Amino acid sequence: MNIKLVKDFSKVYDAYVMPKFEGEVKVYEGLTGEEKLVLEKLIEKKEFTGKKGTSISCDLMHKGRLVNITYLGLGNKEELRPYEVIEAFYKALKGIDGEILVGTHGVEVSQVVEAAHYSKYDFNKYKTDKKDPKEVSFDIYVEEDTDAICEGTALAESVMLTRDLVNEPANVIFPESLAHEVTLLGEKCGFEVEIFGEEKIEELKMEAFLSVARAAEKRPRFIIMRHMGDPSSTEIHGLVGKGLTYDTGGLSLKPSAGMANMKTDMGGAATVIGAMAAISRMKVKKNIVTVIAACENSIGGNAYRPGDVIGSMGGKTIEVDNTDAEGRLTLIDAVHYIINHENVKEVIDVATLTGAVLVALGTSTTGVLANNDEMYKSLEEASHVAGERVWRLPNFPEYKELYKSKIADLKNTGGRFAGSITAGMFIEEFVGETPWMHLDIAGTSDASAPYGYYTNGGTGQIVRTLYNYYNKK
Ligand code: BES
Ligand code: MN
Ligand code: ZN
């Protein structure tokens, strides 16, 4: 696939996709005679007014070539949300190939560039009988010079990287191979990477993380990424991703149906890696450090058990009530590390943390907990720009009762009620006064069926929200 910006379209293409706002449907002046008549009659016959979600399409002979023309209704310009632009173009571009001219009149060019990328996304590398993909090139028509192709491509490729990582099975992506991928990505995008092996993790006394990692044959890694985009500032923003490359549930073993898709339990890690790729490629003027405590929650004679009492890097003791509530155990050590060893002034963790968030918010909306209103407000704004949904859940102190332990400081579950809240608040116990936000993406990072501009599997949701969050002036 080839995407470039063009400032004229005198060349004849196989297909043309042109956005039209409601009440502004005009046939392009370059078309004359019969060609123009066909389009005008079609508009009349289909009563096409440019309403959102509608489109018309036809084939006609143009300068000796059979060309396809699509008019894409975008509705009212003022009411158009960013994701709707991506979605509309995605749907129009998905089914066509060859040489394509795409109009951008009145819309954000980088969003059209993104849509072009997503329209050909297909995780089919493990299919042995796949056909060679048809040649496709997108010429994006712009009236003025813009560097939108850079931003659109950086965002789309980062989102697709996140999708790929989520879609890769656990026999391909495990802590060591994930660390390797991040190392290569750092070289490519320009961020610094540091990897801690088990010895260093032990030295740092990440006992909670190590307890979860203990039984797996695939050994843990602690992955650190650093983007220092603002050397004039000492402020560092912290980002943490849950990196369970597989979650069997441990000795509190998951039933088959619940385990089947647990290769995706590193969705938080994939998201923060994608965000780092976008941030460093676009040279965002902020200092951002990201960490991932990557491991596999497995079973074996050496596994941590329900009933065990374990320590944590932060010092608090934890009674393990359920080995399947492992994400929060890895996250507390990652959060403690980033606050105390990377000196971040705020921290966001992103995690496929609870099935309960699916019960509460479904598959479209990311659940959020925050100990800081301003931070949440800023995330909300960033999410609006990205067209990704977030919703805040409460962290009232009453809920703390639910995860008190009789014999240790805390236990790692909070019972059947308010499962997403108690899971998030458990992490909050380890952030102290540091402004903190927790994003539970268990419902949103992976799709069991295509929707919007998402395909089956990893969605890459929240990558663009995080990018916008840090990219604000
Ligand atoms: N990784 C799961 C959460 C999850 C569930 C992600 C479904 C994606 C889809 C997490 O580690 C987990 O098992 N959580 C338990 C917590 C419980 C034992 C307190 C859950 O949600 O059931
Ligand atoms: Mn689990
Ligand atoms: Zn998990």
Side-chain angles (χ1 to χ4, degrees), residues 1-5 85-96 100 102 108-123 133-134 136-140 147-161 163-164 188 281-282 452-455 458-459 464:
M1 182 177 51
N2 179 24
I3 303 182
K4 65 176 189 296
L5 300 184
V85 177
I86 303 181
E87 191 174 328
F89 278 89
Y90 168 82
K91 290 194 167 137
L93 300 178
K94 195 159 66 132
I96 52 180
I100 305 161
V102 192
E108 199 72 63
V109 178
S110 78
Q111 282 161 357
V112 178
V113 172
E114 275 193 71
H117 282 284
Y118 301 140
S119 73
K120 301 299 163 197
Y121 179 79
D122 186 10
F123 189 79
K134 296 207 179 105
V136 51
S137 72
F138 296 106
D139 280 9
I140 315 253
D147 57 6
I149 201 148
C150 263
E151 187 174 40
T153 301
L155 280 177
E157 287 183 351
S158 303
V159 164
M160 293 187 295
L161 165 74
R163 292 180 180 183
D164 283 348
K188 191 176 137 203
R281 281 179 66 172
M282 291 311 293
Y453 57 91
Y454 306 117
T455 48
T459 63
R464 293 157 71 254

Side-chain angles (χ1 to χ4, degrees), residues 438-463:
H438 158 70
L439 277 60
D440 194 334
I441 58 166
T444 50
S445 75
D446 182 68
S448 57
Y451 69 97
Y453 57 91
Y454 306 117
T455 48
N456 249 336
T459 63
Q461 270 212 54
I462 299 300
V463 169

Side-chain angles (χ1 to χ4, degrees), residues 303-322:
Y304 80 133
R305 314 163 190 82
D308 283 359
V309 175
I310 60 175
S312 62
M313 192 181 179
K316 288 191 169 127
T317 57
I318 300 146
E319 180 188 2
V320 178
D321 178 55
N322 188 319

Side-chain angles (χ1 to χ4, degrees), residues 178 222-223 225 238-244 265-273 290-294 327 330-331 334-335 338 347-352 441:
L178 184 67
F222 194 81
I223 302 168
M225 293 163 261
L239 194 51
V240 178
K242 171 173 168 180
L244 265 292
D265 210 18
M266 33 58 75
T271 306
V272 297
I273 292 166
T290 296
V291 305
I292 297 161
T330 65
L331 286 163
V335 156
I338 205 168
V347 58
I348 301 178
D349 76 75
V350 187
T352 51
I441 58 166

Side-chain angles (χ1 to χ4, degrees), residues 121-137:
Y121 179 79
D122 186 10
F123 189 79
N124 63 1
K125 63 190 277 199
Y126 296 116
K127 295 271 193 194
T128 56
D129 64 347
K130 57 178 179 279
K131 300 185 229 85
D132 279 340
K134 296 207 179 105
E135 282 292 316
V136 51
S137 72

Side-chain angles (χ1 to χ4, degrees), residues 242 247 254 262 265 322 324 326 328 352-355 413 442:
K242 171 173 168 180
D247 180 13
K254 283 183 185 292
M262 280 302 136
D265 210 18
N322 188 319
D324 198 11
E326 84 298 337
R328 66 199 78 183
T352 51
L353 202 64
T354 63
T413 58

